[in-house]
Amino acid sequence: MYYDPVEALDRDSLEALQVERLKKTVANARKSPFYKERLKDFDLDEITRASDVEKLPFTTKDDLRSQYPYGMLTRPVDEFVRLHASSGTTGTPTAIFYTQRDIDRWADLMARSMYCCGCRRSDVLQNTSGYGLFTGGLGIHYGSERLGMLTIPAGAGNTKRQIKLIRDFNVTVLHIIPSFALYFAQRVREEGFDPAEMPWRIALIGAEPHSEEVRRKIEETMHIKCYNSYGMSELNGPGVAFECQHQKGMHVWEDAYIAEIIDPETGRPVPEGEVGELVMTTITREGMPLIRYRTRDLTRFIPGQCECGRTHRRIDRITGRADDMIILKGVNIYPMQVEQCLMAMPEVGHNYLIELFTEGVSDQLKVKVEIKDEYFVEDMRVLQGLQKKIAKTLCNEILLTPRVELVQHDSIPKSEGKAVRVVDNRRK
Ligand code: ADP
Ligand code: ZN
């Protein structure tokens, strides 16, 4: 029923395991130049419960940058076998190093994650992630092979070839980013096939924030089940938290990570079930352990037990990064709020773009929205009515009225990797 019995370990034993591994991690981390200094006054005896992790200092992305390239490593560089780097969505990239054992453990976590949402060794997986420094390529790849699935490293782009591979080799599992998946059904139809008759059954979607509405849209148009996949290069890559077949939040693999959710302003834990910043400590990584890493990702713990019987706590879908928040005219807006509204409207197509600009002395927000062909009519009054409706729906959610520009489907440029949802041209 589970890939690894540890997934259903009772909470007391799980906590005992975390305490033991946290102590080892702190001792090991001290072998790196960075933590040797940072943890020099810390007494290991202070750790008796998992929540004692709170006594340790945070590690930030700036710390990683300041230690670039080797300052976080617990052993000589020749003991490492792999390097990845974050895609650098925000600022300079950071380098992450893996020993052979780190690679093996990551592959195990990844295999467990895929098993958890229903993948089996008889499945055929096609990975549409870019390979290279981005962990969504090799990370998923190794996990898929570890589970025993036939694995097709298709890489990003070239939808026509993707579709041919899927049909020729009976692909049942796709790894695909949500913004690409939104287009896929349409492309399949353009190639003359019916999405309902494609061999696929499971899509692993993640790597970028997306709403429940987007998940539903992908599931309906592609005739597939989508499972949310969370990770980041600093924490290995994918395989940190994953949805099970119940699709009610992502289980964080707590035998490998200690997860906390804090108030990003005060650094204190938020009350159970409230949204805050996810902070993660790696407790099985030997080459480059991270203690209380500030992910900047916003989520909450989902209270209660999951029906699947796994005991590892679940996090809710990521609502965005702490640094994603747009402040306009004193109002705080998250791009995900805009997405939720738009994707719930039947007239809206696959893509949208939020543009910020300065007009005169004030900053403005414009939302470009792709409209489905059948709603893109010549009658101006109808279009204006739709424009107003979208502006009003958005205003109810974000508390200010945006400009809305309706555009034809496929007219907003797509990026090859993660989608760009916000363009900020405000005068600084
Ligand atoms: P970068 O930080 O340069 O984008 P990564 O490729 O490591 O590099 O991306 C990790 C980030 O991607 C996470 O911190 C998070 O913001 C986002 N992310 C990953 N998986 C998900 C997911 N399932 N839902 C929402 N956001 C995600
Ligand atoms: Zn579950």
Side-chain angles (χ1 to χ4, degrees):
M1 175 128 164
Y2 307 117
Y3 184 78
D4 186 329
V6 79
E7 294 164 55
L9 199 63
D10 66 274
R11 290 296 309 180
D12 287 346
S13 312
L14 188 55
E15 178 165 358
L17 188 66
Q18 286 188 318
V19 169
E20 179 200 319
R21 290 182 173 174
L22 178 60
K23 286 185 145 181
K24 275 196 192 146
T25 296
V26 171
N28 177 45
R30 280 185 172 141
K31 295 180 192 154
S32 72
F34 174 72
Y35 284 118
K36 185 175 176 205
E37 178 58 28
R38 179 72 60 104
L39 302 176
K40 66 175 185 296
D41 300 322
F42 187 78
D43 179 0
L44 269 188
D45 290 337
E46 283 195 56
I47 301 174
T48 56
R49 294 178 313 166
S51 60
D52 290 332
V53 74
E54 288 169 24
K55 297 175 181 164
L56 289 153
F58 291 120
T59 305
T60 63
K61 187 138 188 155
D62 282 341
D63 291 328
L64 296 195
R65 288 190 185 125
S66 74
Q67 296 303 312
Y68 185 88
Y70 303 131
M72 307 295 293
L73 307 189
T74 60
R75 54 200 71 214
V77 184
D78 64 5
E79 288 184 37
F80 289 85
V81 299
R82 174 94 65 84
L83 178 151
H84 279 286
S86 82
S87 51
T89 317
T90 46
T92 4
T94 17
I96 312 298
F97 294 78
Y98 309 70
T99 63
Q100 184 58 53
R101 193 178 286 160
D102 291 333
I103 293 286
D104 283 340
R105 286 182 179 146
W106 179 20
D108 279 336
L109 286 175
M110 209 47 255
R112 177 202 295 187
S113 300
M114 293 175 179
Y115 190 93
C116 160
C117 72
C119 302
R120 295 295 178 266
R121 64 183 304 276
S122 52
D123 278 303
V124 180
L125 178 139
Q126 183 158 315
N127 190 2
T128 72
S129 271
Y131 277 63
L133 288 175
F134 176 56
T135 52
L138 291 176
I140 295 282
H141 189 99
Y142 273 51
S144 172
E145 289 185 353
R146 177 65 50 98
L147 185 53
M149 295 192 275
L150 174 63
T151 307
I152 307 178
N158 201 341
T159 324
K160 203 178 162 110
R161 192 186 57 188
Q162 302 272 7
I163 294 169
K164 179 164 169 53
L165 289 168
I166 293 168
R167 286 174 42 84
D168 289 355
F169 302 110
N170 270 312
V171 169
T172 50
V173 182
L174 266 187
H175 177 239
I176 184 166
I177 61 172
S179 50
F180 185 31
L182 277 169
Y183 286 95
F184 220 84
Q186 184 192 326
R187 294 285 179 271
V188 168
R189 255 184 250 104
E190 284 164 8
E191 291 299 309
F193 308 113
D194 177 358
E197 280 162 16
M198 295 294 276
W200 56 42
R201 60 188 195 93
I202 291 177
L204 316 175
I205 60 169
E208 60 183 8
H210 58 286
S211 54
E212 186 61 38
E213 286 73 16
V214 159
R215 186 227 298 262
R216 261 184 254 130
K217 210 165 191 155
I218 300 169
E219 290 194 329
E220 280 160 22
T221 56
M222 285 181 72
H223 298 264
I224 203 165
K225 276 273 177 205
C226 295
Y227 298 93
N228 199 354
S229 150
Y230 173 76
M232 68 194 310
S233 10
E234 294 90 319
L235 301 172
N236 282 348
V240 174
F242 223 93
E243 255 180 353
C244 68
Q245 284 177 293
H246 295 277
Q247 295 182 309
K248 287 185 185 142
M250 301 174 277
H251 291 279
V252 182
W253 302 126
E254 292 185 276
D255 55 320
Y257 302 94
I258 296 181
E260 301 167 75
I261 292 177
I262 63 159
D263 177 332
E265 300 299 323
T266 64
R268 302 288 311 144
V270 296
E272 178 80 18
E274 282 185 22
V275 174
E277 179 184 342
L278 182 68
V279 171
M280 298 289 271
T281 300
T282 66
I283 51 172
T284 52
R285 213 156 64 167
E286 63 174 19
M288 187 176 162
L290 287 183
I291 291 170
R292 301 195 84 200
Y293 186 67
R294 303 273 306 246
T295 66
R296 309 300 287 156
D297 288 328
L298 301 173
T299 184
R300 65 184 190 108
F301 283 123
I302 298 179
Q305 281 265 314
C306 186
E307 293 160 62
C308 72
R310 290 181 180 82
T311 50
H312 299 227
R313 280 181 300 173
R314 290 164 296 160
I315 52 170
D316 211 339
R317 60 179 60 254
I318 309 289
T319 46
R321 291 192 182 207
D323 358 71
D324 276 351
M325 193 175 72
I326 300 166
I327 305 178
L328 197 85
K329 299 178 179 166
V331 182
N332 299 349
I333 304 163
Y334 283 101
M336 219 22 58
Q337 290 176 286
V338 173
E339 174 173 310
Q340 264 167 5
C341 284
L342 293 178
M343 291 300 164
M345 299 179 82
E347 300 91 345
V348 172
H350 309 300
N351 208 352
Y352 66 94
L353 184 69
I354 300 172
E355 286 178 357
L356 305 168
F357 59 95
T358 309
E359 195 176 61
V361 290
S362 71
D363 290 337
Q364 304 287 339
L365 184 147
K366 181 165 90 180
V367 185
K368 265 190 179 173
V369 187
E370 284 188 4
I371 298 301
K372 285 185 194 152
D373 281 348
E374 61 264 41
Y375 294 98
F376 213 89
V377 291
E378 284 188 356
D379 187 337
M380 278 303 283
R381 278 164 309 180
V382 176
L383 282 179
Q384 277 166 357
L386 179 56
Q387 216 169 7
K388 279 205 184 113
K389 177 178 156 191
I390 294 176
K392 190 151 178 281
T393 312
L394 285 172
C395 177
N396 286 340
E397 173 67 30
I398 63 177
L399 307 179
L400 52 86
T401 309
R403 311 253 176 103
V404 173
E405 183 184 336
L406 306 181
V407 296
Q408 260 175 309
H409 89 256
D410 276 358
S411 57
I412 299 175
K414 291 183 286 290
S415 40
E416 174 109 311
K418 303 189 187 205
V420 175
R421 299 299 195 193
V422 182
V423 176
D424 192 347
N425 289 325
R426 280 177 291 186
R427 213 167 31 232
K428 295 287 169 348

